[in-house]
């Protein structure tokens, strides 16, 4: 069997502080794996600039010039982490046999790649990197992230626990993933749907080497909302059950009101009446909001806009 060509896909958004440190680490890993004879010498590092506003693209261009194993693509504007990863994966899928996607901040242990490649060589098409613990995350990040997984699974979105976007995917699985045309991207939920033989590899998650997190709470909440709405219709079912419960309570309330009015206590019901009106009004607004969220997603899907637009490729510069 020919040695597999590995592409390491790294999304970068405003990462000028950390990229000069981590890019050589990734290249070092490629060198080591190729040296051990596990992967082909044609393996590459593919850096995806997600419309950065700092000098990230200049750094990528320099890296690509200095080392032929380093490739760069640039998104025409910032589209978010998921779209950047997908752009890299789709760009790589016809040039390689396996891809490993990893963040560029050095938080994910690159040494887990050895085990991932071993699992691939052992017959797995998808290998999920799973965090062994979250000791190095801040208390806030740890609790919000754990809440994120719990909430997602409670809402019916099946995902691998404590797995972010550090994973190996074979080109074969990627070609199938390309058939998933949704614009509402949540790779963590989509990749398991592709199927094939898969396994997990544990690794310790370190702190960011430099720079700041590009995933503030706001982006995490919107990722969670995307995850739920793209994987599950459970929220719609929940509001249905909730509506049934409220309808039952209203029925009890009506009977109570009738009895009260027959026994002559008509004015005394003012407070309870107001409470019920407010409560039902609030519940209806929440339910409308959830339905609206799904309609919004349908609206975006029907437009079928491109999920990423690549404006530059380092290997096309010198033509
Ligand atoms: N990222 C991106 N586009 C964005 C936000 C983030 O490509 O709009 C990249 C970022 O450069 C990094 C990865 O996604 O490589 C994960 O981001 P970060 O480390 O800030 O998230 P955290 O680890 O704090 O969840
Ligand atoms: Mg990070």
């Amino acid at each position: 069997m020919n040695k597999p060509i590995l592409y390491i896909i790294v999304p970068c958004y405003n990462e000028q502080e950390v990229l000069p440190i981590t890019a050589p680490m990734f290249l070092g890993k490629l060198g080591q794996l190729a040296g051990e004879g596990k992967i082909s010498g044609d393996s590459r590092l593919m850096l995806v600039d997600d419309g950065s506003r700092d000098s990230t693209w200049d750094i990528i261009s320099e890296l690509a010039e200095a080392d032929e194993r380093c490739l760069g693509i640039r998104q025409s504007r910032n589209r978010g982490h998921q779209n950047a990863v997908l752009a890299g994966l789709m760009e790589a899928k016809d040039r390689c046999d396996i891809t490993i996607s990893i963040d560029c901040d050095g938080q994910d242990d690159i040494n887990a790649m050895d085990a991932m490649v071993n699992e691939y060589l052992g017959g797995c098409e998808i290998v999920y990197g799973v965090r062994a613990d979250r000791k190095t995350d801040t208390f806030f990040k740890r609790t919000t992230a754990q809440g994120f997984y719990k909430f997602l699974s409670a809402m019916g979105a099946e995902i691998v626990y404590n797995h972010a976007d550090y994973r190996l995917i074979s080109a074969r699985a990627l070609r199938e993933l390309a058939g998933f045309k949704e614009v509402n991207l949540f790779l963590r939920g989509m990749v398991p749907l592709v199927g094939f033989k898969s396994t997990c590899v544990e690794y310790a998650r370190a702190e960011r080497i430099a720079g700041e997190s590009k995933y503030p709470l706001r982006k995490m909440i919107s990722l969670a909302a995307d995850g739920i709405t793209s994987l599950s219709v459970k929220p719609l079912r929940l509001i249905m059950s909730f509506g049934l419960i409220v309808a039952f309570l209203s029925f009890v309330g009506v009977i109570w009101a009738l009895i009260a009015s027959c026994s002559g206590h008509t004015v005394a019901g003012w407070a309870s009446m107001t409470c019920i009106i407010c409560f039902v009004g609030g519940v209806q607004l929440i339910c409308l909001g959830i339905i609206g969220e799904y309609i919004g997603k349908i609206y975006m899907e029907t437009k079928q806009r491109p999920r990423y637009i690549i404006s530059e490729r380092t290997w096309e510069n010198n033509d």
Side-chain angles (χ1 to χ4, degrees):
M1 192 174 93
N2 283 339
K3 286 174 197 157
I5 300 177
L6 166 68
Y7 269 49
I8 301 180
I9 311 292
V10 187
C12 314
Y13 177 54
N14 293 345
E15 299 285 11
Q16 59 182 8
E17 286 95 8
V18 77
L19 198 54
I21 309 169
T22 50
M25 289 166 52
F26 295 134
L27 288 171
K29 191 47 127 185
L30 279 183
Q32 177 223 318
L33 286 169
E36 289 169 5
K38 286 185 182 160
I39 59 169
S40 150
D42 293 330
S43 297
R44 296 284 181 268
L45 169 66
M46 182 177 275
L47 302 166
V48 185
D49 176 18
D50 187 20
S52 302
R53 290 167 207 277
D54 63 0
S55 60
T56 300
W57 180 248
D58 301 328
I59 296 170
I60 293 177
S61 308
E62 279 162 29
L63 285 165
E65 204 141 303
D67 192 327
E68 61 158 8
R69 293 176 305 160
C70 184
L71 306 173
I73 57 175
R74 186 182 201 181
Q75 293 230 73
S76 61
R77 53 161 294 173
N78 179 246
R79 297 291 298 266
H81 173 224
Q82 299 288 298
N83 300 63
V85 174
L86 185 78
L89 292 176
M90 291 300 126
E91 194 70 21
K93 75 177 189 312
D94 300 318
R95 307 159 157 260
C96 64
D97 302 300
I98 33 177
T99 59
I100 295 181
S101 53
I102 183 168
D103 291 351
C104 83
D105 54 10
Q107 283 191 283
D108 302 319
D109 181 13
I110 55 169
N111 294 320
M113 288 186 191
D114 299 68
M116 288 183 173
V117 172
N118 285 343
E119 293 289 355
Y120 169 78
L121 295 173
C124 284
E125 301 277 343
I126 300 173
V127 186
Y128 302 100
V130 173
R131 281 170 226 173
D133 60 60
R134 283 182 171 265
K135 282 200 200 90
T136 54
D137 278 0
T138 61
F139 175 75
F140 179 73
K141 181 90 195 177
R142 191 167 61 227
T143 29
T144 49
Q146 263 160 11
F148 171 87
Y149 288 105
K150 297 238 165 74
F151 184 60
L152 243 65
S153 71
M155 285 296 131
E158 287 301 321
I159 50 169
V160 181
Y161 190 68
N162 261 349
H163 159 68
D165 281 296
Y166 183 20
R167 72 175 88 75
L168 177 148
I169 313 182
S170 69
R172 187 172 158 219
L174 277 179
R175 281 191 281 274
E176 301 304 331
L177 183 70
F180 288 61
K181 300 286 185 199
E182 61 232 66
V183 292
N184 179 20
L185 275 187
F186 188 66
L187 292 170
R188 267 172 251 188
M190 288 159 66
V191 174
L193 294 177
V194 176
F196 291 113
K197 190 168 177 223
S198 65
T199 186
C200 296
V201 162
E202 284 206 344
Y203 69 96
R205 184 145 157 115
E207 271 170 64
R208 217 173 211 283
I209 291 184
E212 280 174 6
S213 171
K214 310 292 182 298
Y215 254 102
L217 188 61
R218 183 176 53 79
K219 276 197 189 174
M220 266 191 19
I221 290 174
S222 95
L223 184 69
D226 273 352
I228 295 163
T229 50
S230 84
L231 292 176
S232 143
V233 289
K234 196 160 173 188
L236 293 174
R237 299 222 174 97
L238 282 179
I239 60 180
M240 177 71 186
S241 333
F242 206 54
L244 284 175
I245 293 171
V246 172
F248 177 73
L249 288 178
S250 318
F251 181 68
V252 174
V254 167
I255 293 179
W256 169 69
L258 281 177
I259 294 172
S261 96
C262 289
S263 55
H265 300 289
T266 33
V267 190
W270 181 82
S272 49
M273 182 85 95
T274 314
C275 292
I276 292 171
I277 292 174
C278 292
F279 175 70
V280 173
V283 167
Q284 281 180 333
L285 283 182
I286 294 172
C287 298
L288 270 182
I290 295 176
I291 297 172
E293 181 72 17
Y294 279 92
I295 295 181
K297 288 283 150 63
I298 297 170
Y299 174 63
M300 294 314 290
E301 295 292 343
T302 53
K303 284 176 187 281
Q304 296 196 320
R305 287 184 179 152
R307 296 178 286 186
Y308 56 87
I309 296 172
I310 295 169
S311 59
E312 276 166 78
R313 294 175 173 84
T314 48
W315 61 95
E316 286 175 350
N317 273 355
N318 308 325
D319 293 350

